């Protein structure tokens, strides 16, 4: 091999062509005098003139390659037989026998997957680079494979020059950076998941499942959240939201909003009033941080989902016939913008219906309109059947969400199952309009006693239920206004007694003295019932309710029940 002929054709060695061009220019420019004239040629040079630098074509390639700190190997022919390795290469991987094929004599290149690259360079006549590969010696190198030729450099090469630069320090620094990013992401994901409900509440009348998948890029954990809150009296609140931004800050704001939602939900306010309170809180938490949120309440007695939305995506509801409805009105601006009065809307959610609440990571794509993504989700929901968890998984798969998805995804699915057969016997309703004056009280007691007897409640629970119904009706007759109504409801787990009237003044529990003639009704109910509460109803009315947990999971006369 003639290294001198190849020395000018090593484009893969960084800086070779630039240094050669610079030296050629220096050699081509004659020295000038101070007055601008060119001195005559002399046989001897002044002592202060620089020593002439030979052109790159005059440098012996072997001597240059022996001294460079980078690893250099030259292979020749289709078998890539070793023609040369420099001292740095031999120091790193050991001495290699000349003339042996690379597949046998250069195992380090085979382990790094460079042999196919050598074939490609030899065929194409073009250099190729393989960045930052860890070699068997434990160090990382960037390999550049450059074709070399005996004759015209425009023809296909007859050999390949392998030039390896040690980039171990850079590779280790990059790995430390990646490890730091992974730790930050794990911290953000851990914080996010810890702020989400660890176990979803499962109401009597609904079946609910949810899923959350963090974004797969860097520490791109956002502020997506969901929640299920049992309000009492058979009603359930469902929440989903998305804090704008990413990282630990977004997750922290999300945690504060979720905690506030649970606190406001305990007040049993209408959905739009809950969002009104959240809007003011979001401004106080961070004036520059906004969030979207949808808050909905399901009442099995009404068979509807009452909701309010602060800039969030529409709730989708599929009825028992498979028709999907988009609940997109009314919708206000996101939380944290202030100055907006939110309003509530409603959508039917009867037996056999399924509703889906979700964040934008499920439907938003860079290459398509947001409405197209929601339409695709509607089609997927129309054909999705099974349990809520199965539907959750199918919707996520249909949206193409993978582990490396570029945004967080939260999905909440709820079903109001249509119960038939023995299961339907565990879910009953009965109601009585309270007409007239004080004579309505004995009618209410007789009605409650008859209903509880027909539902085959044990005697002790029967008597407690009749007493609670009597006290709630008496309280409504004394302090409320018509129309009045007594409603009894049983599920597989509890008995619920509720009285509604037209007055919006909410009762409170008082501590009556022995001489007081009133004030004991609510105290009695609170003492004998498992739970009690009150709320305002649309139309300036109120509802006062209490509930009793059924023994052994809801069976009457002690029989076990499975859901």
């Amino acid at each position: 091999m003639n290294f001198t002929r190849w020395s000018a054709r090593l484009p893969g060695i960084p800086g070779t062509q630039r240094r050669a061009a610079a030296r050629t220019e220096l050699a081509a420019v004659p020295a000038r005098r101070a007055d601008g004239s060119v001195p005559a040629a002399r046989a001897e040079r002044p002592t202060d003139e620089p020593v002439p630098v030979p052109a790159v074509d005059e440098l012996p390639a072997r001597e240059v390659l022996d001294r460079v700190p980078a690893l250099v190997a030259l292979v020749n022919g289709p078998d890539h037989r070793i023609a040369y390795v420099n001292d740095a290469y031999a120091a790193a991987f050991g001495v290699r026998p000349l003339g042996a094929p690379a597949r046998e004599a250069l195992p380090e290149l085979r382990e790094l997957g460079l042999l196919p690259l050598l074939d490609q360079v030899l065929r194409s006549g073009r250099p190729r680079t393989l960045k930052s590969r860890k070699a068997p010696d434990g160090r990382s190198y960037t390999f550049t494979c450059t074709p070399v030729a005996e004759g015209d450099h425009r023809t296909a090469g007859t050999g390949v020059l392998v030039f390896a630069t040690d980039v171990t320090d850079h590779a280790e620094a990059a790995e430390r950076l990646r490890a730091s990013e992974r730790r930050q992401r794990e911290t953000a994901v851990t914080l996010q998941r810890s702020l989400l409900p660890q176990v979803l509440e499962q109401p009597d009348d609904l079946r609910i499942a949810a899923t959350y998948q963090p974004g797969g890029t860097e520490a791109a954990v956002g502020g997506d959240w969901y929640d299920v809150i049992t309000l009492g009296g058979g009603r359930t609140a469902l929440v989903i939201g998305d804090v704008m931004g990413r990282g630990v800050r977004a997750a922290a704001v999300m945690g504060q909003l979720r905690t506030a939602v649970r606190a406001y939900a305990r007040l049993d306010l209408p959905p739009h009033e809950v969002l009104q309170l959240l809007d003011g809180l979001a401004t106080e938490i961070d004036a520059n941080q906004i969030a979207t949120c949808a808050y909905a309440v399901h009442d099995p007695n009404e068979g509807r989902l009452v909701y309010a939305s602060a800039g969030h995506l529409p709730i989708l509801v599929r009825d028992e016939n498979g028709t999907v409805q988009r609940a997109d009105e009314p919708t206000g601006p996101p939380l944290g913008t202030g100055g907006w009065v939110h309003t509530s809307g409603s959508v039917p959610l009867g037996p056999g219906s399924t509703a889906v609440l979700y964040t934008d990571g499920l439907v938003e794509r860079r290459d398509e309109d947001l409405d197209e993504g929601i339409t695709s989700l509607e089609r997927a929901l129309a054909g999705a059947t099974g349990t809520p968890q199965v539907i959750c998984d199918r919707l996520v798969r249909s949206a193409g969400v993978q582990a490396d998805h570029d945004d967080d995804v939260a999905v909440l699915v709820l079903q109001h199952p249509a119960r038939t057969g023995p299961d339907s016997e565990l879910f009953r309703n009965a109601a009585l309009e309270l007409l007239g004056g004080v004579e309505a009280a004995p009618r209410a007691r007789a009605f409650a006693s008859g209903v509880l007897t027909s539902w085959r409640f044990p005697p002790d629970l029967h008597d407690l239920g009749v007493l609670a119904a009597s006290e709630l009706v008496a309280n409504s007759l004394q302090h409320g206004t018509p129309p009045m109504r007594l409603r009894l409801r049983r599920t597989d787990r509890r008995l619920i007694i509720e009285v509604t009237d037209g007055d919006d003044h909410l009762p409170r529990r008082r501590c009556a003295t022995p001489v007081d003639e009133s004030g004991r009704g609510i105290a009695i109910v609170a003492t004998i019932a498992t739970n009690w509460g009150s709320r305002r109803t649309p139309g300036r009315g109120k509802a006062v309710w209490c509930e009793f947990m059924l023994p052994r999971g809801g069976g009457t006369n002690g029989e076990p029940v499975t859901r």
Side-chain angles (χ1 to χ4, degrees):
M1 296 295 176
N2 190 332
F3 288 94
T4 304
R5 270 204 301 256
W6 287 343
S7 60
R9 304 192 185 103
L10 305 179
I13 302 179
T16 302
Q17 293 176 329
R18 293 194 298 271
R19 289 193 297 270
R23 290 166 180 167
T24 303
E25 291 176 2
L26 287 173
V29 179
R32 293 182 177 271
R33 295 178 181 271
D35 58 3
S37 60
V38 179
R42 298 182 180 178
E44 297 181 358
R45 293 180 179 270
T47 57
D48 57 346
E49 290 187 4
V51 178
V53 178
V56 68
D57 285 336
E58 300 174 3
L59 294 175
R62 177 64 176 266
E63 182 179 350
V64 173
L65 297 179
D66 280 341
R67 296 184 180 182
V68 295
L71 281 58
V72 179
L74 180 66
V75 296
N76 185 41
D79 293 337
H80 308 301
R81 295 185 177 275
I82 302 176
Y84 165 77
V85 293
N86 71 345
D87 295 340
Y89 194 103
F93 300 117
V95 179
R96 296 294 185 258
L98 299 182
R103 184 172 300 276
E104 300 173 2
L106 299 175
E108 60 278 358
L109 299 187
R110 183 178 66 251
E111 294 177 12
L112 291 169
L114 253 68
L115 296 184
L117 189 65
L118 296 179
D119 295 333
Q120 184 181 359
V121 171
L122 195 62
R123 287 194 305 268
S124 65
R126 295 181 179 180
R128 293 289 186 270
T129 299
L130 195 65
K131 294 185 178 180
S132 191
R133 289 296 179 92
K134 195 168 186 178
D137 65 345
R139 304 191 67 80
S140 298
Y141 299 92
T142 291
F143 291 87
T144 299
C145 300
T146 304
V148 293
E150 284 281 356
D152 189 349
H153 67 277
R154 292 172 296 182
T155 63
T158 59
V160 179
L161 184 73
V162 180
F163 186 89
T165 305
D166 191 334
V167 293
T168 303
D169 293 341
H170 296 285
E172 291 177 351
E175 180 57 34
R176 288 193 296 270
L177 178 60
R178 287 191 293 269
S180 176
E181 292 174 347
R182 285 194 298 270
R183 287 193 297 270
Q184 292 178 18
R185 172 178 167 75
E186 290 170 359
T187 300
V189 170
T190 301
L191 174 62
Q192 173 80 333
R193 292 193 182 279
S194 66
L195 294 174
L196 292 174
Q198 303 303 303
V199 179
L200 283 179
E201 296 182 24
Q202 294 294 332
D204 298 4
D205 296 274
L206 298 177
R207 295 173 181 168
I208 301 178
T211 185
Y212 169 74
Q213 181 166 322
T217 56
E218 301 174 354
V221 177
D224 294 17
W225 94 92
Y226 55 83
D227 207 350
V228 179
I229 307 167
T230 300
L231 301 178
R235 302 164 70 249
T236 305
L238 305 118
V239 194
I240 195 159
D242 185 1
V243 177
M244 303 304 175
R246 300 186 182 278
V248 174
R249 176 59 183 168
V253 172
M254 176 274 287
Q256 296 177 76
L257 291 178
R258 177 176 173 257
T259 302
V261 169
R262 294 193 70 89
Y264 295 147
R266 298 304 177 191
L267 301 176
D268 214 341
L269 300 172
H272 64 276
E273 293 189 21
V274 172
L275 292 189
Q276 207 72 47
L277 293 172
L278 277 179
D279 184 39
L281 179 65
T283 305
E284 295 178 7
I285 292 175
D286 189 341
N288 299 319
Q289 192 85 52
I290 62 175
T292 64
C293 180
Y295 181 90
V297 175
H298 176 257
D299 189 338
N301 296 313
E302 303 295 335
R304 302 188 69 81
L305 194 67
V306 181
Y307 67 91
S309 176
H312 203 77
L313 299 174
I315 300 171
L316 302 182
V317 179
R318 186 191 68 193
D319 63 20
E320 56 184 345
N321 299 318
T323 303
V324 178
Q325 179 179 354
R326 185 185 300 188
D328 53 1
E329 292 293 341
T331 299
L335 303 175
T337 55
W340 183 267
V341 178
H342 293 274
T343 57
S344 295
S346 67
V347 62
L349 189 72
S353 299
T354 300
V356 178
L357 293 78
Y358 53 96
T359 56
D360 57 0
L362 185 67
V363 295
E364 190 173 29
R365 301 293 180 269
R366 296 180 181 179
D367 55 349
E368 67 179 21
D369 185 73
L370 178 61
D371 193 65
E372 295 179 7
I374 299 176
T375 302
S376 298
L377 183 62
E378 288 178 342
R379 290 194 296 266
L381 176 60
T385 58
T387 65
Q389 189 59 60
V390 170
I391 294 177
C392 251
D393 297 339
R394 289 182 177 178
L395 295 181
V396 171
R397 286 197 304 269
S398 68
V401 177
Q402 303 292 336
D404 58 349
H405 195 61
D406 60 357
D407 196 5
D408 288 21
V409 174
V411 183
L412 182 65
V413 175
L414 59 138
Q415 285 182 339
H416 187 184
R419 296 180 173 88
T420 58
D423 192 34
S424 64
E425 296 296 320
L426 301 177
F427 292 81
R428 295 290 194 87
N429 286 280
L432 173 68
E433 299 294 334
L434 300 175
L435 303 176
V438 294
E439 67 273 12
R443 288 202 306 271
R445 284 194 294 271
F447 174 78
S449 178
V451 168
L452 297 182
T453 299
S454 67
W455 289 350
R456 297 184 302 167
F457 281 111
D460 56 344
L461 186 55
H462 170 279
D463 295 342
L464 291 176
V466 172
L467 176 58
S470 177
E471 293 296 338
L472 291 181
V473 169
N475 183 78
S476 181
L477 290 173
Q478 182 175 0
H479 302 288
T481 59
M484 302 179 185
R485 189 182 193 189
L486 169 64
R487 176 183 289 159
L488 286 80
R489 175 174 175 78
R490 71 150 297 166
T491 69
D492 60 344
R493 286 182 281 181
R494 71 195 78 217
L495 166 67
I496 302 170
I497 303 172
E498 182 180 81
V499 176
T500 60
D501 62 55
D503 185 84
D504 63 354
H505 179 73
L506 299 180
R508 60 186 179 88
R509 183 178 180 180
R510 293 190 300 171
C511 183
T513 64
V515 298
D516 290 337
E517 296 183 358
S518 63
R520 294 183 175 85
I522 295 299
I524 292 174
V525 171
T527 301
I528 65 176
T530 306
N531 194 14
W532 81 279
S534 62
R535 71 178 187 280
R536 291 186 172 88
T537 59
R540 299 183 61 81
K542 69 173 179 294
V544 184
W545 56 268
C546 68
E547 59 185 26
F548 297 85
M549 296 299 297
L550 301 185
R552 300 189 62 182
T556 56
N557 298 325
E559 71 269 17
V561 172
T562 58
R563 298 196 74 193

PDB file of all heavy atoms in Angstrom, residues 71-86:
ATOM      1  N   LEU A  71      -7.492   6.495  16.993  1.00  0.00           N
ATOM      2  CA  LEU A  71      -7.280   5.119  16.552  1.00  0.00           C
ATOM      3  C   LEU A  71      -7.499   5.047  15.048  1.00  0.00           C
ATOM      4  O   LEU A  71      -8.523   5.510  14.543  1.00  0.00           O
ATOM      5  CB  LEU A  71      -8.249   4.163  17.256  1.00  0.00           C
ATOM      6  CG  LEU A  71      -7.911   3.732  18.700  1.00  0.00           C
ATOM      7  CD1 LEU A  71      -7.786   4.916  19.641  1.00  0.00           C
ATOM      8  CD2 LEU A  71      -8.972   2.769  19.199  1.00  0.00           C
ATOM      9  N   VAL A  72      -6.511   4.469  14.335  1.00  0.00           N
ATOM     10  CA  VAL A  72      -6.591   4.390  12.881  1.00  0.00           C
ATOM     11  C   VAL A  72      -6.298   2.955  12.446  1.00  0.00           C
ATOM     12  O   VAL A  72      -5.345   2.331  12.920  1.00  0.00           O
ATOM     13  CB  VAL A  72      -5.600   5.358  12.199  1.00  0.00           C
ATOM     14  CG1 VAL A  72      -5.695   5.246  10.686  1.00  0.00           C
ATOM     15  CG2 VAL A  72      -5.860   6.793  12.637  1.00  0.00           C
ATOM     16  N   ALA A  73      -7.140   2.448  11.563  1.00  0.00           N
ATOM     17  CA  ALA A  73      -6.915   1.140  10.954  1.00  0.00           C
ATOM     18  C   ALA A  73      -7.259   1.240   9.476  1.00  0.00           C
ATOM     19  O   ALA A  73      -8.186   1.961   9.092  1.00  0.00           O
ATOM     20  CB  ALA A  73      -7.761   0.065  11.630  1.00  0.00           C
ATOM     21  N   LEU A  74      -6.497   0.517   8.658  1.00  0.00           N
ATOM     22  CA  LEU A  74      -6.746   0.506   7.222  1.00  0.00           C
ATOM     23  C   LEU A  74      -6.994  -0.936   6.807  1.00  0.00           C
ATOM     24  O   LEU A  74      -6.206  -1.834   7.120  1.00  0.00           O
ATOM     25  CB  LEU A  74      -5.535   1.069   6.460  1.00  0.00           C
ATOM     26  CG  LEU A  74      -5.677   1.118   4.939  1.00  0.00           C
ATOM     27  CD1 LEU A  74      -6.749   2.096   4.533  1.00  0.00           C
ATOM     28  CD2 LEU A  74      -4.338   1.497   4.302  1.00  0.00           C
ATOM     29  N   VAL A  75      -8.129  -1.153   6.138  1.00  0.00           N
ATOM     30  CA  VAL A  75      -8.461  -2.487   5.646  1.00  0.00           C
ATOM     31  C   VAL A  75      -8.631  -2.400   4.136  1.00  0.00           C
ATOM     32  O   VAL A  75      -8.974  -1.354   3.580  1.00  0.00           O
ATOM     33  CB  VAL A  75      -9.740  -3.029   6.320  1.00  0.00           C
ATOM     34  CG1 VAL A  75      -9.522  -3.213   7.819  1.00  0.00           C
ATOM     35  CG2 VAL A  75     -10.929  -2.106   6.088  1.00  0.00           C
ATOM     36  N   ASN A  76      -8.392  -3.528   3.483  1.00  0.00           N
ATOM     37  CA  ASN A  76      -8.365  -3.513   2.020  1.00  0.00           C
ATOM     38  C   ASN A  76      -9.160  -4.702   1.472  1.00  0.00           C
ATOM     39  O   ASN A  76      -9.152  -5.804   2.040  1.00  0.00           O
ATOM     40  CB  ASN A  76      -6.912  -3.570   1.518  1.00  0.00           C
ATOM     41  CG  ASN A  76      -6.835  -3.433   0.009  1.00  0.00           C
ATOM     42  OD1 ASN A  76      -7.557  -2.630  -0.576  1.00  0.00           O
ATOM     43  ND2 ASN A  76      -5.964  -4.214  -0.612  1.00  0.00           N
ATOM     44  N   GLY A  77      -9.864  -4.461   0.370  1.00  0.00           N
ATOM     45  CA  GLY A  77     -10.548  -5.533  -0.336  1.00  0.00           C
ATOM     46  C   GLY A  77     -11.897  -5.881   0.270  1.00  0.00           C
ATOM     47  O   GLY A  77     -12.287  -5.374   1.323  1.00  0.00           O
ATOM     48  N   PRO A  78     -12.628  -6.763  -0.417  1.00  0.00           N
ATOM     49  CA  PRO A  78     -13.973  -7.137   0.061  1.00  0.00           C
ATOM     50  C   PRO A  78     -13.958  -7.879   1.383  1.00  0.00           C
ATOM     51  O   PRO A  78     -14.949  -7.871   2.107  1.00  0.00           O
ATOM     52  CB  PRO A  78     -14.515  -8.007  -1.070  1.00  0.00           C
ATOM     53  CG  PRO A  78     -13.302  -8.517  -1.790  1.00  0.00           C
ATOM     54  CD  PRO A  78     -12.277  -7.434  -1.703  1.00  0.00           C
ATOM     55  N   ASP A  79     -12.840  -8.525   1.726  1.00  0.00           N
ATOM     56  CA  ASP A  79     -12.735  -9.201   3.014  1.00  0.00           C
ATOM     57  C   ASP A  79     -12.242  -8.276   4.118  1.00  0.00           C
ATOM     58  O   ASP A  79     -12.109  -8.695   5.263  1.00  0.00           O
ATOM     59  CB  ASP A  79     -11.778 -10.400   2.919  1.00  0.00           C
ATOM     60  CG  ASP A  79     -12.328 -11.499   2.032  1.00  0.00           C
ATOM     61  OD1 ASP A  79     -13.569 -11.541   1.871  1.00  0.00           O
ATOM     62  OD2 ASP A  79     -11.545 -12.298   1.516  1.00  0.00           O
ATOM     63  N   HIS A  80     -11.928  -7.046   3.715  1.00  0.00           N
ATOM     64  CA  HIS A  80     -11.418  -6.047   4.657  1.00  0.00           C
ATOM     65  C   HIS A  80     -10.190  -6.578   5.394  1.00  0.00           C
ATOM     66  O   HIS A  80     -10.125  -6.610   6.633  1.00  0.00           O
ATOM     67  CB  HIS A  80     -12.507  -5.647   5.671  1.00  0.00           C
ATOM     68  CG  HIS A  80     -13.793  -5.236   5.040  1.00  0.00           C
ATOM     69  ND1 HIS A  80     -13.892  -4.188   4.165  1.00  0.00           N
ATOM     70  CD2 HIS A  80     -15.053  -5.765   5.144  1.00  0.00           C
ATOM     71  CE1 HIS A  80     -15.151  -4.073   3.759  1.00  0.00           C
ATOM     72  NE2 HIS A  80     -15.872  -5.023   4.333  1.00  0.00           N
ATOM     73  N   ARG A  81      -9.209  -6.980   4.629  1.00  0.00           N
ATOM     74  CA  ARG A  81      -7.970  -7.501   5.231  1.00  0.00           C
ATOM     75  C   ARG A  81      -7.152  -6.351   5.784  1.00  0.00           C
ATOM     76  O   ARG A  81      -7.051  -5.290   5.176  1.00  0.00           O
ATOM     77  CB  ARG A  81      -7.176  -8.290   4.198  1.00  0.00           C
ATOM     78  CG  ARG A  81      -7.921  -9.553   3.742  1.00  0.00           C
ATOM     79  CD  ARG A  81      -7.094 -10.403   2.801  1.00  0.00           C
ATOM     80  NE  ARG A  81      -7.810 -11.625   2.445  1.00  0.00           N
ATOM     81  CZ  ARG A  81      -7.808 -12.732   3.171  1.00  0.00           C
ATOM     82  NH1 ARG A  81      -7.077 -12.778   4.281  1.00  0.00           N
ATOM     83  NH2 ARG A  81      -8.499 -13.794   2.787  1.00  0.00           N
ATOM     84  N   ILE A  82      -6.548  -6.607   6.923  1.00  0.00           N
ATOM     85  CA  ILE A  82      -5.833  -5.545   7.627  1.00  0.00           C
ATOM     86  C   ILE A  82      -4.573  -5.171   6.853  1.00  0.00           C
ATOM     87  O   ILE A  82      -3.714  -6.019   6.569  1.00  0.00           O
ATOM     88  CB  ILE A  82      -5.462  -5.988   9.044  1.00  0.00           C
ATOM     89  CG1 ILE A  82      -6.722  -6.380   9.818  1.00  0.00           C
ATOM     90  CG2 ILE A  82      -4.715  -4.893   9.777  1.00  0.00           C
ATOM     91  CD1 ILE A  82      -6.437  -6.926  11.195  1.00  0.00           C
ATOM     92  N   ALA A  83      -4.473  -3.868   6.526  1.00  0.00           N
ATOM     93  CA  ALA A  83      -3.270  -3.346   5.882  1.00  0.00           C
ATOM     94  C   ALA A  83      -2.422  -2.530   6.858  1.00  0.00           C
ATOM     95  O   ALA A  83      -1.211  -2.408   6.673  1.00  0.00           O
ATOM     96  CB  ALA A  83      -3.650  -2.484   4.680  1.00  0.00           C
ATOM     97  N   TYR A  84      -3.093  -1.993   7.906  1.00  0.00           N
ATOM     98  CA  TYR A  84      -2.330  -1.125   8.807  1.00  0.00           C
ATOM     99  C   TYR A  84      -3.189  -0.821  10.030  1.00  0.00           C
ATOM    100  O   TYR A  84      -4.410  -0.656   9.936  1.00  0.00           O
ATOM    101  CB  TYR A  84      -1.963   0.177   8.102  1.00  0.00           C
ATOM    102  CG  TYR A  84      -1.494   1.273   9.021  1.00  0.00           C
ATOM    103  CD1 TYR A  84      -0.202   1.270   9.562  1.00  0.00           C
ATOM    104  CD2 TYR A  84      -2.343   2.321   9.355  1.00  0.00           C
ATOM    105  CE1 TYR A  84       0.220   2.286  10.401  1.00  0.00           C
ATOM    106  CE2 TYR A  84      -1.928   3.342  10.202  1.00  0.00           C
ATOM    107  CZ  TYR A  84      -0.644   3.310  10.723  1.00  0.00           C
ATOM    108  OH  TYR A  84      -0.223   4.308  11.561  1.00  0.00           O
ATOM    109  N   VAL A  85      -2.567  -0.756  11.219  1.00  0.00           N
ATOM    110  CA  VAL A  85      -3.153  -0.185  12.434  1.00  0.00           C
ATOM    111  C   VAL A  85      -2.085   0.683  13.080  1.00  0.00           C
ATOM    112  O   VAL A  85      -0.908   0.323  13.096  1.00  0.00           O
ATOM    113  CB  VAL A  85      -3.642  -1.273  13.423  1.00  0.00           C
ATOM    114  CG1 VAL A  85      -4.820  -2.048  12.849  1.00  0.00           C
ATOM    115  CG2 VAL A  85      -2.535  -2.210  13.827  1.00  0.00           C
ATOM    116  N   ASN A  86      -2.464   1.840  13.564  1.00  0.00           N
ATOM    117  CA  ASN A  86      -1.458   2.715  14.162  1.00  0.00           C
ATOM    118  C   ASN A  86      -1.210   2.327  15.617  1.00  0.00           C
ATOM    119  O   ASN A  86      -1.862   1.427  16.175  1.00  0.00           O
ATOM    120  CB  ASN A  86      -1.855   4.185  14.017  1.00  0.00           C
ATOM    121  CG  ASN A  86      -3.042   4.548  14.910  1.00  0.00           C
ATOM    122  OD1 ASN A  86      -3.740   3.678  15.420  1.00  0.00           O
ATOM    123  ND2 ASN A  86      -3.280   5.844  15.093  1.00  0.00           N
TER     124      ASN A  86
END
